[in-house]
Amino acid sequence: MVVLANPSVVDQIPLLPSPGHRDTFAAVPVVDLSRPGAARAIVDACERFGFFKVINHGVATATMDRAESEAVKFFAQAQAVKDRAGPAYPPFGYGSKRIGLNGDMGWLEFLLLAVDSASLSDACTVPSSAVFRAALNEYVAAVRGVAVRVLEKMAEGLGIAPVDALSAMVTEQGSDQVFRVNHYPPCPAFQGLGCSATGFGEHTDPQLISVLRSNGTSGLQIALRDGAQWVSVPSDRDAFFVNVGDSLQVLTNGRFKSVKHRVVTNSLKSRVSFIYFAGPSLAQRIAPLPELLGEGEEILYKEFTWGEYKKAAYKTRLGDNRLAQFEK
Ligand SMILES: C=C1C[C@]23C[C@@]1(O)CC[C@H]2[C@@]12CC[C@H](O)[C@@](C)(C(=O)O1)[C@H]2[C@@H]3C(=O)O
Ligand SMILES: O=C(O)CCC(=O)C(=O)O
Ligand SMILES: [Fe+2]
């Protein structure tokens, strides 16, 4: 007989097939940010998968380790203490199991935080520990630097001038940057049954790009062939993983794919991930960049601002196709 750890809660979380060795995505595109071919490699990966791994990014291991160990300490606190840092919605803070406001549930707890310029927004006092905050601020400044370099290389690879054509959307005053720390505790309830609890259900990220770093526990999966196949991304705690978001799909008129991804929980090990979501200012117009349109190329999307898209996105469920309502 299988005894569920806490049936009332686990029962509300959808199940996914447990990943097997054959699902491993060994061919994750790897972009070496220190090499001249990076720009071309980024464009190629964004066209093929909307996803790639970044190595030789220059971020100190100590910066990543410090942020991770402080996050582990935060999540190890008593539930009542963590709840004082919540709720996550609206608009920022600690949350557990509920993702968004529309009924999505996952086997995780998280901190959802606003970023102003290159550090956590002072308007949000969570997390309150000065040591944790300092560690996250150092990490956020570094990962934002990686996002900016990736967007610069992307512009170069796409042949768009100036070099900051894309990155300026993130560095300009008022850009809408979000930082998320996810903790997926082990979920042994379904061990041996061929299924696992969903950590974070399938979705695309609405922003331009997201830059993810996790501890050594795998769980992230991406969809290939328009969702026909799910593959597991081998974890690499020294690398960053970049997702193309919906807004970048629109700016490139569908040339770059906003990648569907999800997280499957591990029955024995906990996963800790940091995700920096690079969004533009609310007023930023999101429409295919004229420089990227071929002669006579059909424009696939109605025009909108990031603010309009974000508002619409927050009314949707996680797995919804949020861009559908903006297609022509
Ligand atoms: C169900 C939801 C959670 C989300 C807002 C939404 O209504 C649809 C988009 C979701 C998402 C996915 C990527 C990021 O984790 C996130 C912060 C974002 O910008 O869009 C989440 C939203 C959230 O958790 O608030
Ligand atoms: O935690 C992860 O590894 C991915 C989570 C994610 O996709 C998200 O927070 O949008
Ligand atoms: Fe995501």
Side-chain angles (χ1 to χ4, degrees):
M1 188 178 69
V2 180
V3 181
L4 301 185
N6 185 347
S8 55
V9 180
V10 168
D11 277 358
Q12 297 170 52
I13 310 230
L15 298 179
L16 290 170
S18 300
H21 288 303
R22 278 189 288 130
D23 307 318
T24 301
F25 187 34
V28 176
V30 179
V31 173
D32 182 337
L33 218 46
S34 68
R35 296 191 75 103
R40 184 61 245 157
I42 288 174
V43 169
D44 187 55
C46 291
E47 287 175 346
R48 295 181 65 207
F49 304 109
F51 183 81
F52 56 93
K53 167 169 158 172
V54 175
I55 60 167
N56 288 329
H57 43 67
V59 176
T61 307
T63 302
M64 306 199 274
D65 288 350
R66 205 157 26 233
E68 184 184 316
S69 72
E70 288 303 319
V72 168
K73 276 190 225 162
F74 174 85
F75 289 117
Q77 295 178 105
Q79 193 59 49
V81 175
K82 292 185 280 187
D83 284 341
R84 263 182 252 138
Y89 310 104
F92 295 109
Y94 171 81
S96 174
K97 312 261 177 357
R98 290 176 202 288
I99 302 172
L101 291 168
N102 308 315
D104 291 288
M105 304 276 284
W107 188 257
L108 86 164
E109 54 181 345
F110 60 88
L111 283 166
L112 196 53
L113 306 168
V115 172
D116 263 353
S117 185
S119 56
L120 298 181
S121 165
D122 288 336
C124 176
T125 53
V126 172
S128 57
S129 145
V131 177
F132 188 18
R133 232 181 144 80
L136 289 186
N137 276 336
E138 187 181 317
Y139 179 86
V140 165
V143 73
R144 179 183 186 262
V146 172
V148 167
R149 283 166 62 210
V150 163
L151 288 167
E152 285 173 357
K153 293 274 177 211
M154 208 177 263
E156 182 191 328
L158 285 167
I160 318 173
V163 70
D164 69 350
L166 297 171
S167 60
M169 293 186 198
V170 180
T171 54
E172 74 185 3
Q173 186 87 18
S175 64
D176 187 20
Q177 309 163 79
V178 174
F179 184 60
R180 178 169 209 142
V181 183
N182 288 332
H183 173 226
Y184 304 89
C187 184
F190 308 101
Q191 207 175 358
L193 296 179
C195 54
S196 307
T198 300
F200 207 110
E202 70 174 75
H203 66 285
T204 60
D205 293 344
Q207 293 82 359
L208 296 164
I209 57 169
S210 318
V211 185
L212 178 149
R213 189 259 171 191
S214 75
N215 67 351
T217 303
S218 58
L220 180 67
Q221 298 189 317
I222 65 166
L224 302 182
R225 300 188 287 121
D226 271 337
Q229 186 189 2
W230 284 93
V231 289
S232 299
V233 177
S235 64
D236 184 345
R237 47 183 300 124
D238 299 322
F240 291 105
F241 292 89
V242 176
N243 290 348
V244 169
D246 299 339
S247 299
L248 188 58
Q249 177 168 322
V250 173
L251 289 175
T252 59
N253 202 33
R255 181 166 158 190
F256 287 3
K257 301 283 172 259
S258 169
V259 64
K260 245 194 220 169
H261 55 286
R262 67 186 186 192
V263 176
V264 188
T265 54
N266 190 290
S267 54
L268 302 172
K269 294 190 286 180
S270 59
R271 173 177 169 88
V272 176
S273 57
F274 293 108
I275 308 103
Y276 166 80
F277 300 96
S281 64
L282 295 181
Q284 176 69 49
R285 174 177 171 267
I286 308 288
L289 296 169
E291 308 93 300
L292 295 179
L293 291 173
E295 203 163 304
E297 184 178 330
E298 188 192 348
I299 294 180
L300 300 179
Y301 305 96
K302 297 174 205 156
E303 205 177 305
F304 53 84
T305 64
W306 166 245
E308 286 164 345
Y309 190 63
K310 191 174 175 182
K311 195 169 163 202
Y314 272 77
K315 291 186 183 144
T316 61
R317 295 287 300 259
L318 205 47
D320 289 348
N321 177 359
R322 281 175 272 288
L323 268 183
Q325 57 181 302
F326 295 94
E327 280 164 9
K328 274 197 172 171

